[in-house]
Amino acid sequence: MLILAAAFGLAIGVALGLLGGGGSILAVPVLVYALGQSVTQAVPTSLLVVGASSVGGAVSYLRAGNVPWRTALVFGACGVGGSVAGADLNQRLDEDALLLGFAAVMVVAAIAMLRRSSQESISNDDSDAVRDDAWRKHSARVVGLGAAVGFMTGLFGVGGGFLVVPALTFAFDYPMQVAVGASLLVIVINSAGGFASHLGYGSIDFGVATAFTVAGIVGAVAAGRFSQRFNPARLTRWFGYLVLAVAAYVVVEVLVLDGGAVS
């Protein structure tokens, strides 16, 4: 079980390091269907794994000076209240309803990834300049989007990178590499807030969580160092297809196979 947890954690960490988000969208389905956890266990474990893995990935971008850290900190701080509210709602919903809601989020995330891959493929902007003024110039957007991402983090155990990267690229006009680095920092903040909110609600298998987390950090750090060697549009497109496939599997498990691992 621990070896399997480490293998999945490594894969999710690599996705986080390469894409600045997206890998976290698979953590809960993996924990529920591959590792046999309940949703109440999987969500805080996912937040721990995603947050810790994102620290490793964010360090690589911070060292390169490629993160608008003031905007990222404000964006993340605005999500803390949302993550508390999301964690509270998580405890009030039926597990099947949560999984179906999570599948819907996965579909939205996949569509966002596929649209992002199309934008990347036609973009010629290779600028890596960090313009760290969005938190002042677009404060209403930062607050609103930050709170929404935080709510999703607390409710579903996702880091929200699939929302943060498009927001930073399209709403604030950041280059992709800058948006990815900022996304990782926001994920760290949101995941910490969501994890703290969930601690009083459910138990965590710390053996599985540790193996998953350590492997995720290794994957995120390694991928962050080599991210610029890969075609981001192609990676994002294929990952979007994978997320759609997993969303379909979750729906079939809940509606057709009577919940599968969920009792």
Side-chain angles (χ1 to χ4, degrees):
M1 181 67 73
L2 294 182
I3 293 176
L4 190 60
F8 281 118
L10 183 66
I12 287 173
V14 168
L16 280 165
L18 289 177
L19 303 174
S24 60
I25 203 74
L26 297 181
V28 169
V30 163
L31 289 164
V32 171
Y33 295 115
L35 300 178
Q37 295 196 349
S38 67
V39 176
T40 54
Q41 283 183 309
V43 168
T45 301
S46 170
L47 291 171
L48 177 61
V49 171
V50 169
S53 299
S54 297
V55 169
V59 167
S60 298
Y61 285 91
L62 285 167
R63 286 178 176 173
N66 210 22
V67 176
W69 60 271
R70 292 181 182 86
T71 296
L73 287 176
V74 173
F75 196 107
C78 291
V80 173
S83 67
V84 173
D88 181 69
L89 180 59
N90 173 279
Q91 302 303 310
R92 301 172 186 272
L93 295 178
D94 176 76
E95 287 200 350
D96 283 355
L98 277 170
L99 286 169
L100 289 175
F102 194 87
V105 170
M106 293 179 77
V107 171
V108 173
I111 292 172
M113 291 175 195
L114 293 173
R115 292 185 63 183
R116 170 180 156 191
S117 71
S118 298
Q119 292 292 331
E120 289 173 352
S121 65
I122 62 176
S123 175
N124 295 316
D125 184 8
D126 295 323
S127 171
D128 61 356
V130 177
R131 301 182 303 278
D132 198 4
D133 58 357
W135 65 282
R136 290 177 178 168
K137 293 174 63 176
H138 308 288
S139 57
R141 293 184 194 175
V142 172
V143 172
L145 290 171
V149 171
F151 180 79
M152 300 291 285
T153 299
L155 181 59
F156 293 118
V158 297
F162 66 92
L163 295 173
V164 179
V165 172
L168 294 175
T169 52
F170 300 127
F172 306 135
D173 199 30
Y174 280 125
M176 184 58 61
Q177 286 297 318
V178 172
V180 168
S183 170
L184 289 167
L185 186 54
V186 171
I187 289 170
V188 172
I189 298 170
N190 283 340
S191 297
F195 179 74
S197 299
H198 276 278
L199 278 179
Y201 294 128
S203 61
I204 298 175
D205 184 332
F206 281 101
V208 169
T210 300
F212 212 102
T213 302
V214 171
I217 293 172
V218 171
V221 171
R225 291 179 178 176
F226 296 101
S227 61
Q228 297 189 17
R229 299 187 182 185
F230 298 92
N231 184 316
R234 183 175 299 172
L235 285 171
T236 304
R237 182 167 60 253
W238 284 107
F239 195 82
Y241 292 140
L242 174 61
V243 171
L244 279 176
V246 175
Y249 177 82
V250 171
V251 172
V252 169
E253 281 283 345
V254 173
L255 296 182
V256 178
L257 301 179
D258 197 27
V262 181
S263 57

